[in-house]
Amino acid sequence: MFRLSNLITSVTEGKKERVLDGSIAIWNFTNRCNLACHHCYSYADPNSEDFLSTEFIMDSIPELKKAGIKFVIFSGGEPLIRRDIFDIAKKMRQEGIVTYLSTNGLYVSEKNVDRIIDTFNYIGISIDGIEEVHDKFRGLKGAYRKSLDAIALIQEHGGNAGIRFTITNETKESFFAMFELAEEIGVDKIYISHLVYSGRGLDNLKIDISKEERRKFVEYIIDKAFEYIEKGRKIDIVTGNMEMDAVLFLEKFSKKYPDLKEEMTKRLKSWGGNSAGRKLVNIDWMGNVKPDPFFPFVIGNMTEKPFSEIWLDSENEMLAKLREHPRKLGGKCENCGVMEICNGGSRSRAWAIHGDLWAEDPSCYLNEIEKSEK
């Protein structure tokens, strides 16, 4: 995640750098879902059964702490489908792990909203476009209204709720409307996710936007982050799965605050770009452990080996290469001057298009001058 708003505020106000001393886990607790979204990487099935038992998950939580996991994002499928989800989150919080919820919002109600707010530090609700686009993308008429009702309910009860939006060819026409919506309903955060490919093949490119479109959108996102701070709007802007955004951000920040360029550069290098396998891990509904949710290879399974042994395995060659900073990559990344900032972007996209984990990220939109900057 690239937290634009937080970086602007902390550097311009001289606040201490926030450093995550540990890792973030995205845990897909279930493969069951009440929707059939076009971009779902977990291929969620409403008729499937939960594979990992409550007891197994509870017993695994100390392993997360042992391995240095500080945040867990509860995902799925739809995590609120699991009846034990609140008990699981409560146990994590008792172990000092911060819990976030990623949901479609359809199961948020008057009956459980206070419990959701008390259990999760933040609730991200997916919105994939204006009403017609969202409902089509989610495979359910009326889903858009129900998701907005969930946000409103969380806000009424004093919780932190935000919008999650993924840019694809299907949703791009709603991109600007998402910011208008965020401003209208006053969410705490808008998280813009770039598409990450799954599987192999050039068909992935058909559902993604062009590099020219991506750059235009990213420039708008960055400008909005500055605008919100300058106007005193309390809307946090975050982007995901496109660490090259930080390079373009630095360019714009340096023009606005030339005296602070050195400090911002230092913080971006400390942030370190793509963190898959380094400070980010995914656990799927069957206990498979992967460097990120889209990663094409599994590094272990929690039902066969304790999580801490999988994540802290110093002899795992793939993890060792992912944890190099900057990574040693081929293609345009090999001699790129900003690798310390972006760390080469998504290895999952590289695999999908090039069949090589260590190739360049095919979605990189930076020009040659930007990539040559030191």
Side-chain angles (χ1 to χ4, degrees), residues 93-318:
R93 289 165 70 92
Q94 289 173 345
E95 293 287 345
I97 297 172
V98 178
T99 56
Y100 283 14
L101 176 66
S102 178
T103 175
N104 58 44
L106 272 64
Y107 285 140
V108 177
S109 67
E110 285 282 1
K111 292 182 179 180
N112 66 12
V113 64
D114 288 326
R115 195 175 186 188
I116 289 172
I117 292 169
D118 291 341
T119 303
F120 299 99
N121 294 64
Y122 171 75
I123 303 105
I125 295 183
S126 299
I127 303 290
D128 292 298
I130 57 175
E131 188 166 4
E132 182 180 345
V133 174
H134 178 88
D135 288 356
K136 180 181 178 182
F137 203 66
R138 295 274 154 180
L140 178 68
K141 189 173 179 60
Y144 177 81
R145 289 295 166 186
K146 290 179 179 179
S147 294
L148 289 191
D149 288 345
I151 293 174
L153 188 60
I154 292 166
Q155 291 174 326
E156 288 169 12
H157 285 251
N160 297 319
I163 291 173
R164 298 171 58 88
F165 175 80
T166 301
I167 310 173
T168 71
N169 254 329
E170 288 182 280
T171 66
K172 65 182 181 182
E173 298 303 326
S174 296
F175 171 81
F176 299 106
M178 288 302 97
F179 288 88
E180 294 171 4
L181 176 65
E183 294 165 15
E184 179 184 342
I185 64 179
V187 293
D188 295 283
K189 181 188 297 183
I190 179 166
Y191 174 87
I192 306 294
S193 177
H194 296 272
L195 185 68
V196 180
Y197 314 143
S198 60
R200 282 273 290 116
L202 297 177
D203 282 347
N204 284 294
L205 297 178
K206 295 178 183 178
I207 59 175
D208 201 4
I209 59 176
S210 68
K211 293 182 181 181
E212 292 74 22
E213 289 173 313
R214 190 181 311 284
R215 188 181 180 97
K216 179 181 71 173
F217 288 149
V218 173
E219 288 182 343
Y220 184 85
I221 291 168
I222 296 170
D223 289 342
K224 272 293 181 182
F226 284 115
E227 176 191 320
Y228 287 163
I229 290 171
E230 290 164 2
K231 291 184 176 180
R233 275 190 172 274
K234 301 297 183 181
I235 302 177
D236 192 21
I237 296 182
V238 180
T239 68
N241 305 315
M242 189 61 62
E243 291 76 19
M244 290 68 85
D245 292 354
V247 178
L248 195 57
F249 165 79
L250 178 60
E251 183 180 302
K252 285 178 171 282
F253 180 89
S254 300
K255 290 178 181 178
K256 279 181 170 285
Y257 304 100
D259 294 343
L260 296 174
K261 178 180 179 180
E262 185 177 344
E263 176 60 26
M264 181 59 78
T265 302
K266 176 185 172 183
R267 294 202 184 192
L268 290 176
K269 289 181 178 180
S270 175
W271 165 67
N274 187 274
S275 60
R278 191 165 55 98
K279 289 192 174 184
L280 176 67
V281 62
N282 172 242
I283 304 168
D284 75 11
W285 67 290
M286 296 185 72
N288 291 314
V289 180
K290 299 184 291 183
D292 71 39
F294 315 94
F295 209 80
F297 302 107
V298 171
I299 59 172
N301 187 286
M302 290 169 55
T303 65
E304 301 170 357
K305 193 175 185 179
F307 176 80
S308 65
E309 292 184 23
I310 296 171
W311 189 237
L312 301 177
D313 184 0
S314 60
E315 296 182 3
N316 186 302
E317 292 184 12
M318 183 180 293

Side-chain angles (χ1 to χ4, degrees), residues 79-94:
L80 290 177
I81 280 183
R82 286 193 67 129
R83 294 181 179 180
D84 58 2
I85 207 71
F86 294 107
D87 295 329
I88 293 169
K90 181 180 178 181
K91 177 69 179 295
M92 287 192 183
R93 289 165 70 92
Q94 289 173 345

